[in-house]
Amino acid sequence: MPQPTKGARLGGSPAHQRLILANLATSLFQHGKITTTEAKAKRLRPYAERLISKAKRGDLHNRREIQKVIRDRETVHRLMHEIGPFFADRNGGYTRITKTLPRQGDNAPMAVIELVSQKTVTDEADRARRVAGSQRRRPAAAAPAAEQADESAETPATEAATTETTETAEAGTGSATEVTADRNAVDEAEGSAAEPAAEEPAEDAAASAEHTPGSAAARTEAEETSGGPVGPGRES
């Protein structure tokens, strides 16, 4: 059996109290803040924060648990998709109670209960610390993957460089052989063309030497012409 809460019950019966708290929570989620008596605000605070915790989980079961209390569909949608995600990085303390002046007439103590709409310094510091920690862990996890990627990238590059060097060397050898053969062919052609040119001047020189006046060949020819050949068949 659940332990009953201390203090006077809101309303005349437990059912009436549940309806009062459900209506107060609906108004709080719709408007963001409401003004009520201090007793109702203190009873509403844990009730509303439990509903926000269910909205943070966001699954179907918790949505149905919220719909048992909050009968307005638009309010349930706002609670699940706006209020719950807003407090995703906050563990409790979703509401704030501020005391105000007493109510005129019966002098009942009044208070304003509202949803916390601003991030505190502690929440921002915790979030910055978590982000910095996650950023430090990411490079450490990404370093082995980067090294493997570099090795896999270097292996094809090395093979491509070796292939290119071999092809270049073969192409250079082939081109050198072709250049050598071309040079030999040119030298042979020049030699064959130069030999007749060298022989022709020699024959011309011999012919010019024979017909040159005063030369030995010219004198011999002149003697033979004047005296005739000297031989055994001719009387001297």
Side-chain angles (χ1 to χ4, degrees), residues 3-207:
Q3 182 71 22
T5 59
K6 294 181 180 180
R9 181 183 295 118
L10 301 176
S13 63
H16 190 191
Q17 178 176 332
R18 287 194 297 269
L19 291 175
I20 290 174
L21 293 176
N23 292 333
L24 289 173
T26 302
S27 299
L28 177 63
F29 296 145
Q30 287 178 350
H31 304 288
K33 66 177 181 178
I34 57 175
T35 302
T36 184
T37 60
E38 186 177 345
K40 291 180 180 178
K42 289 181 179 179
R43 297 292 296 272
L44 176 62
R45 183 173 186 174
Y47 187 86
E49 290 190 356
R50 281 195 294 269
L51 294 176
I52 294 174
S53 298
K54 293 179 180 180
K56 286 172 60 178
R57 299 187 183 95
D59 55 355
L60 181 60
H61 171 69
N62 288 283
R63 176 185 284 271
R64 289 175 176 173
E65 291 294 323
I66 292 172
Q67 288 176 346
K68 289 180 181 179
V69 178
I70 307 299
R71 302 302 178 91
D72 188 8
R73 291 185 177 181
E74 294 182 358
T75 305
V76 173
H77 180 80
R78 184 171 184 270
L79 179 62
M80 295 292 294
H81 296 279
E82 296 181 12
I83 299 175
F86 180 79
F87 295 113
D89 56 347
R90 189 183 182 97
N91 297 322
Y94 311 124
T95 59
R96 180 188 298 115
I97 296 176
T98 305
K99 294 181 180 181
T100 60
L101 295 175
R103 183 171 57 190
Q104 295 181 356
D106 58 354
N107 201 28
M110 303 295 291
V112 175
I113 181 171
E114 59 183 346
L115 298 175
V116 177
S117 59
Q118 294 180 353
K119 301 290 184 179
T120 61
V121 177
T122 305
D123 293 339
E124 294 294 334
D126 293 340
R127 185 174 182 276
R129 192 181 302 108
R130 289 195 299 270
V131 171
S134 62
Q135 290 179 354
R136 284 196 300 269
R137 288 193 297 270
R138 284 178 184 176
E147 292 178 358
Q148 294 178 359
D150 293 339
E151 292 178 357
S152 61
E154 287 177 359
T155 302
T158 305
E159 294 178 355
T162 305
T163 306
E164 290 179 0
T165 305
T166 306
E167 293 177 355
T168 305
E170 292 177 355
T173 305
S175 61
T177 306
E178 293 177 359
V179 170
T180 305
D182 294 340
R183 288 181 179 177
N184 293 335
V186 171
D187 292 340
E188 291 177 0
E190 290 179 355
S192 60
E195 288 176 357
E199 292 176 355
E200 290 178 357
E203 294 177 357
D204 295 341

Side-chain angles (χ1 to χ4, degrees), residues 201-226:
E203 294 177 357
D204 295 341
S208 60
E210 290 178 356
H211 297 286
T212 302
S215 61
R219 288 196 301 271
T220 304
E221 186 177 357
E223 289 176 357
E224 290 178 357
T225 304
S226 60

